[in-house]
């Protein structure tokens, strides 16, 4: 079995930062499921090498991480398509959209894509300070997948996933995770100083606006903040979304269209 370390939401709007965080989340899930020393591979997508560099810095700083070796002759911890099918690493790290596509394809391959018949669903929501376990399946998940997701949830609860997570986050922090992520953010910023936009008061956001390029997601959120509309970024089934309150949906949609973020 192989854990696909991605997210059905957004662990970060920055692909590389998200993949670094997804690695920690994947390690937590694998350790909770009884793999004491899980191997980590990074899918060969855009940002894989930067992710590898950051994770190896974390390893050098004392964080316990074991990298897998690709089954291909040239080896290395950056995984190819062969490694996906062979399940080379215990944990396959990838970005959110690629990971979701991969899970859907692998789980529904035996049915020709009509429904998901293999696997354990989309896994648990894992994050620092989380104390509630949420497991995700989709409308396309068949009975075998739902049964697998229930067994997966039971295993996580039985083996105290939140205690494992607490210890893992502490170890990653001690090895400089925050500093590595901060350096990543600084490197990703444009040379020009960013405009300081204050976040409006939080409110319940249940309406969604889709069709925004992932690289523009945070800028689009700030465009709404500027006109005092509270908004959050997220990831829906079809890609990046912005969430706003039902009351602000129409106004937010108009503003994003005017600013060129959506058609």
């Amino acid at each position: 079995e192989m854990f696909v370390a991605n997210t059905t939401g957004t662990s970060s709007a920055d692909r590389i930062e998200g993949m670094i965080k997804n690695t920690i989340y994947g390690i937590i899930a694998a350790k909770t499921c009884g793999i004491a020393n899980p191997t980590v591979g990074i899918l060969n997508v855009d940002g894989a090498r930067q992710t590898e560099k950051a994770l190896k810095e974390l390893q050098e700083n004392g964080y316990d991480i074991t990298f897998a070796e690709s089954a291909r002759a040239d080896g290395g911890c950056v995984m190819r398509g062969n490694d996906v099918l062979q399940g080379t690493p215990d944990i396959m790290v990838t970005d959110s959209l690629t990971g979701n596509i991969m899970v859907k394809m692998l789980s529904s391959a035996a049915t020709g894509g009509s429904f998901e018949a293999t696997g354990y669903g989309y896994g648990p929501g894992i994050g620092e300070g989380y104390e509630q376990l949420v497991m995700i399946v989709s409308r396309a998940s068949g009975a075998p997948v739902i049964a697998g997701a229930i067994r997966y949830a039971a295993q996580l609860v039985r083996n105290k996933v939140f205690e494992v997570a607490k210890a893992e986050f502490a170890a990653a922090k001690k090895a400089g995770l925050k500093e590595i992520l901060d350096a990543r953010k600084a490197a990703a910023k444009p040379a020009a100083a960013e405009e300081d936009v204050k976040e409006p008061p939080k409110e319940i956001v249940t309406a969604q606006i889709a069709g925004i390029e992932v690289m523009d997601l945070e800028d689009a959120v700030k465009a709404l903040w500027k006109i005092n509309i509270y908004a959050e970024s997220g990831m829906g089934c079809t890609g990046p979304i912005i969430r706003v309150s039902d009351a602000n949906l129409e106004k937010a949609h108009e503003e994003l269209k005017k600013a060129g973020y959506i058609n």
Side-chain angles (χ1 to χ4, degrees), residues 63-213:
Y63 182 65
D64 186 16
I65 180 170
T66 302
F67 291 101
E69 282 287 324
S70 172
R72 289 171 62 106
D74 47 353
C77 66
V78 174
M79 303 285 116
R80 279 66 163 190
N82 316 58
D83 297 303
V84 172
L85 296 176
Q86 292 175 24
T88 300
D90 294 316
I91 300 162
M92 182 71 80
V93 176
T94 183
D95 62 286
S96 58
L97 288 178
T98 305
N100 279 320
I101 291 168
M102 194 161 71
V103 169
K104 287 182 185 296
M105 289 182 69
L106 293 174
S107 62
S108 62
T111 67
S114 60
F115 69 93
E116 297 163 5
T118 306
Y120 301 87
Y122 295 81
I126 292 176
E128 191 170 7
Y130 285 17
E131 294 181 352
Q132 294 180 329
L133 187 64
V134 177
M135 306 291 290
I136 298 175
V137 292
S138 82
R139 288 168 292 184
S141 299
V145 171
I146 293 171
I150 293 170
R151 289 196 300 272
Y152 188 6
Q155 189 173 22
L156 292 170
V157 172
R158 191 181 303 118
N159 294 339
K160 301 179 179 177
V161 63
F162 300 123
E163 290 184 15
V164 175
K166 188 176 180 181
E168 211 62 35
F169 283 125
K173 275 187 175 180
K174 187 177 179 182
L177 176 63
K178 183 180 183 301
E179 291 75 16
I180 290 169
L181 293 178
D182 286 346
R184 166 65 205 161
K185 287 176 185 175
K189 280 183 181 178
E194 288 189 349
E195 183 181 355
D196 185 25
V197 180
K198 289 189 177 180
E199 178 182 322
K202 287 184 182 290
E203 57 185 13
I204 295 172
V205 288
T206 52
Q208 298 182 2
I209 300 172
I212 299 160
E213 173 60 44

